[in-house]
Amino acid sequence: MAKNIQSLERAAAILRLLAGGERRLGLSDIASSLDLAKGTAHGILRTLQHEGFVEQDPASGRYQLGAELLRLGNSYLDVHELRARALVWTDDLARSSGESVYLGVLHQQGVLIIHHVFRPDDSRQVLEVGAMQPLHSSALGKVLSAYDPVAHSEVVETERKVFTPRTISAREDFESVLDITRARGWAADVEETWEGVASVAAPIHDRRRMPVGAVGITGAVERVCTKDGELRPELVAAVRDCARSVSRDLGASRF
């Protein structure tokens, strides 16, 4: 019978300790609680921190569970169901809008594209499933940052890169954008990530009213926006209807 790997057992014990006790624990607390040498505990914690399973508060030096671990039991298990539930609705959205449709979830301080429906024309397009979009400038990212506390925490604590002259990077201005997003229920990206490209996205919720992803359309500014530079209201409505439909299929009862 194969022996268990001691380092993995110790890592699992640390994670259980952080999950079941106080919100944050110091190195000494962890080491004494598990009867580990401080050096051993520190080495394991450093590895877990590098993988995103543990976070260390810079002020107190105490440790807590990291965002990646907190999402393993929810988002990663939900991704397959989310994509399956969204297939029909995203196809319909692409046909009705005439634009590309993207389905995204939070992953490693960005938006991971888990489903992409091509624009329904004969133009040459590249499948972007597996691609990453920024949290602070993309429409999908703004939606996740507005509705998901973990995404919000990650985006305000990291550098918000300026991609175009329209990119909003200052924290106060970005928080105002998120307030607007929550108030109206959708987010916009008009040449903030890519020049000449505009997007609109809305949140998807599950039966627990938890935000599990976002859906949106992306296209050329001249097609997605009016002559005044505003997003076309019929496209905004179509995206929101799609998000509501997927949410309903996931068991959400209110929006």
Side-chain angles (χ1 to χ4, degrees), residues 184 186 190 221 224-233 236:
R184 65 189 183 185
W186 54 274
V190 181
V221 171
V224 178
C225 297
T226 66
K227 293 181 179 179
D228 297 328
E230 299 294 328
L231 286 163
R232 289 168 50 193
V236 173

Side-chain angles (χ1 to χ4, degrees), residues 13 28 87-88 147 157-158 184 196 203 205-206 222 224 235 239:
S28 297
L87 288 176
V88 172
Y147 288 91
E157 292 176 1
T158 57
R184 65 189 183 185
H205 295 88
D206 66 7
E222 58 268 23
V224 178
L235 294 181
V239 169

Side-chain angles (χ1 to χ4, degrees), residues 26-73:
L27 175 60
S28 297
D29 299 324
I30 294 171
S32 61
S33 295
L34 300 176
D35 196 23
L36 296 174
K38 279 190 177 181
T40 300
H42 183 258
I44 296 172
L45 285 164
R46 186 173 55 196
T47 301
L48 292 172
Q49 184 179 2
H50 177 74
E51 296 299 326
F53 296 149
V54 164
E55 296 174 357
Q56 185 179 30
D57 179 61
S60 67
R62 290 175 172 267
Y63 294 90
Q64 65 183 30
L65 294 180
E68 285 299 306
L69 181 64
L70 293 173
R71 291 199 155 268
L72 282 178

Side-chain angles (χ1 to χ4, degrees), residues 7-255:
S7 59
L8 292 180
E9 289 182 329
R10 289 172 170 175
I14 288 176
L15 294 175
R16 291 192 189 98
L17 181 65
L18 291 174
E22 298 178 18
R23 186 167 182 268
R24 291 175 179 168
L25 293 173
L27 175 60
S28 297
D29 299 324
I30 294 171
S32 61
S33 295
L34 300 176
D35 196 23
L36 296 174
K38 279 190 177 181
T40 300
H42 183 258
I44 296 172
L45 285 164
R46 186 173 55 196
T47 301
L48 292 172
Q49 184 179 2
H50 177 74
E51 296 299 326
F53 296 149
V54 164
E55 296 174 357
Q56 185 179 30
D57 179 61
S60 67
R62 290 175 172 267
Y63 294 90
Q64 65 183 30
L65 294 180
E68 285 299 306
L69 181 64
L70 293 173
R71 291 199 155 268
L72 282 178
N74 293 317
S75 295
Y76 279 32
L77 293 178
D78 289 343
V79 161
H80 299 295
E81 182 182 6
L82 173 59
R83 183 179 181 277
R85 297 287 186 177
L87 288 176
V88 172
W89 301 112
T90 50
D91 283 348
D92 287 346
L93 178 59
R95 281 193 295 269
S96 65
S97 68
E99 301 295 344
S100 299
V101 177
Y102 295 88
L103 187 66
V105 297
L106 177 65
H107 178 63
Q108 294 182 347
Q109 300 179 337
V111 182
L112 174 67
I113 303 302
I114 63 170
H115 185 53
H116 173 199
V117 184
F118 283 165
R119 184 172 62 254
D121 59 20
D122 296 327
S123 62
R124 183 177 180 181
Q125 300 173 61
V126 177
L127 186 66
E128 295 188 40
V129 172
M132 296 289 291
Q133 292 187 10
L135 281 174
H136 68 287
S137 61
S138 68
L140 293 171
K142 291 177 188 176
V143 164
L144 293 175
S145 300
Y147 288 91
D148 187 330
V150 177
H152 179 265
S153 176
E154 292 186 355
V155 75
V156 298
E157 292 176 1
T158 57
E159 179 185 2
R160 291 171 292 282
K161 183 178 179 181
V162 175
F163 297 107
T164 76
R166 290 176 174 264
T167 305
I168 298 172
S169 59
R171 178 166 179 172
E172 185 175 345
D173 295 336
F174 181 69
E175 292 285 9
S176 296
V177 169
L178 298 187
D179 288 339
I180 294 172
T181 298
R182 296 184 195 99
R184 65 189 183 185
W186 54 274
D189 167 10
V190 181
E191 297 189 283
E192 293 181 47
T193 308
W194 304 280
E195 292 187 355
V197 177
S199 304
V200 58
I204 296 172
H205 295 88
D206 66 7
R207 63 185 62 86
R208 300 160 297 173
R209 287 291 297 156
M210 295 293 293
V212 293
V215 63
I217 61 170
T218 297
V221 171
E222 58 268 23
R223 295 195 309 266
V224 178
C225 297
T226 66
K227 293 181 179 179
D228 297 328
E230 299 294 328
L231 286 163
R232 289 168 50 193
E234 66 271 22
L235 294 181
V236 173
V239 169
R240 297 191 70 189
D241 285 344
C242 177
R244 291 190 189 100
S245 296
V246 179
S247 297
R248 278 195 296 269
D249 278 1
L250 288 171
S253 58
R254 294 183 296 109
F255 304 94

